[in-house]
Amino acid sequence: MVPVTRCSVRLGRAMSDQLKILYQSKDVLVVDKNVDTKINSNDECANEVTVAKQLARNVPHLIDNTIEFGFRFAHRLDHATSGVLCIALNKTTAGTFQNCFSQRKIMKHYLALVHGHMEDRCLFIDVPIGRSSIHTDIYRMCVSTSPHCVQPVKRSTTVAVCLETGLYAGAPASKLLLIPLTGRTHQLRVHCCHIGHRIIGDYMYSDRTDTQPPRMMLHSYRIHVPVKPQPLDVTAPDYFVSAIDPSWQATQLFTTYKAFCDTFYNQGPNKSALNITDLNPKTVTVELEMS
């Protein structure tokens, strides 16, 4: 058996086969996806780094030649998003993940650095999302109130918690915990734009102007999946700290990630259920118009 390679992840663009494995069992492999890396690609360009290629180099004994790209990715992350990514190592586990996602039983937490200081400590964003019709060269989404939004428009909900405020490269910024309660394409990026706090380094949703940061500051931080016999609960490193990225300097702490989870998540058997009633967030909402 080929040993698993555990390499460090760099803050900048992924230009090599480096890949950090966060967890592995006979059923699941969880990796810390590098920033600016596609999960897989039909493009045969030999120089393009993808997670599938990184896995093939790091854990070749886990390749399944009966499926495309050799691995069953249990969910997706945007090209520019880093962090926790799960790979099912057999059909049964892949089916379990699919059922948990469809029943919205999976808890996913993201960290983000966004432009500006978010005044509200917590927001419940209930704003539908659809495809933008004016961007034909890229797959871009928008909120349903945009005049360019086309069907199908789907309800999209996100909880945004302000952990810290401070400065990024000398400009006001906030560190947010983002909890998607639905799983729409680009949901977190669109919702952050809608509340006036675009994610730092988001090239697409800044109309290709936010080019100074080394990456888009969105990171898949934690996932909790209620699989048996033991739930899968994996957390990635937090890269949005000044020790790793000196451009980020926190000046005010509102809550820590641990304190938030200890306070607002059920402490019984279903520890992944967010207690929104006690959270009492300010609501940002747009009604979903039925066609």
Side-chain angles (χ1 to χ4, degrees):
M1 180 176 291
V2 179
V4 175
T5 301
R6 298 175 182 269
C7 300
S8 62
V9 176
R10 296 179 299 177
L11 180 64
R13 294 182 179 275
M15 298 300 290
S16 72
D17 290 326
Q18 292 183 335
L19 186 67
K20 182 174 183 178
I21 294 178
L22 300 172
Y23 172 84
Q24 184 176 353
S25 70
K26 65 181 180 62
D27 297 316
V28 182
L29 179 67
V30 185
V31 301
D32 187 359
K33 175 186 168 296
N34 292 323
V35 66
D36 293 332
T37 307
K38 294 180 181 178
I39 290 178
N40 48 46
S41 175
N42 289 315
D43 189 347
E44 295 300 324
C45 175
N47 294 325
E48 183 178 33
V49 177
T50 66
V51 178
K53 289 180 181 179
Q54 291 174 322
L55 289 170
R57 288 290 300 273
N58 285 275
V59 287
H61 58 290
L62 297 180
I63 296 174
D64 186 341
N65 290 316
T66 67
I67 57 175
E68 189 176 17
F69 305 115
F71 296 94
R72 294 180 174 87
F73 293 97
H75 58 108
R76 314 293 293 185
L77 291 178
D78 290 345
H79 164 265
T81 303
S82 61
V84 174
L85 177 66
C86 299
I87 299 95
L89 299 181
N90 51 63
K91 289 182 180 179
T92 300
T93 303
T96 299
F97 267 85
Q98 184 176 14
N99 289 336
C100 288
F101 270 112
S102 64
Q103 297 171 25
R104 297 183 181 175
K105 292 182 177 180
I106 292 181
M107 179 191 79
K108 295 176 71 179
H109 285 178
Y110 291 76
L111 296 177
L113 294 180
V114 301
H115 289 283
H117 288 166
M118 193 171 99
E119 294 183 1
D120 297 289
R121 301 284 71 83
C122 183
L123 293 175
F124 178 76
I125 308 165
D126 186 0
V127 180
I129 290 174
R131 176 96 186 255
S132 173
S133 62
I134 61 172
H135 298 90
T136 57
D137 59 329
I138 53 175
Y139 194 89
R140 179 165 164 169
M141 310 300 286
C142 59
V143 296
S144 59
T145 51
S146 167
H148 309 293
C149 191
V150 296
Q151 296 291 342
V153 174
K154 297 181 179 179
R155 186 184 182 189
S156 308
T157 52
T158 302
V159 173
V161 180
C162 187
L163 302 177
E164 301 170 348
T165 56
L167 300 173
Y168 189 86
S174 301
K175 183 175 181 176
L176 306 185
L177 167 63
L178 299 175
I179 307 172
L181 304 182
T182 54
R184 312 304 181 201
T185 301
H186 297 179
Q187 174 177 317
L188 301 181
R189 299 163 71 179
V190 172
H191 276 173
C192 283
C193 285
H194 183 71
I195 64 173
H197 296 286
R198 177 171 39 80
I199 295 174
I200 293 172
D202 193 337
Y203 180 72
M204 179 184 295
Y205 288 96
S206 67
D207 293 325
R208 304 175 179 176
T209 62
D210 198 357
T211 58
Q212 291 303 311
R215 57 163 294 177
M216 181 177 75
M217 302 297 172
L218 179 61
H219 181 57
S220 174
Y221 184 56
R222 181 184 176 193
I223 192 167
H224 181 284
V225 187
V227 293
K228 295 180 180 180
Q230 292 292 328
L232 176 70
D233 194 341
V234 180
T235 302
D238 177 2
Y239 298 117
F240 302 151
V241 294
S242 58
I244 295 177
D245 186 354
S247 293
W248 165 243
Q249 296 292 327
T251 56
Q252 186 167 5
L253 171 69
F254 295 103
T255 184
T256 64
Y257 175 80
K258 183 180 184 303
F260 174 84
C261 291
D262 288 347
T263 303
F264 294 109
Y265 275 90
N266 293 335
Q267 299 304 306
N270 187 10
K271 293 183 179 180
S272 64
L274 179 63
N275 192 335
I276 295 181
T277 301
D278 287 349
L279 188 58
N280 191 29
K282 178 180 177 181
T283 300
V284 178
T285 184
V286 172
E287 292 295 327
L288 177 60
E289 296 183 4
M290 305 304 293
S291 57

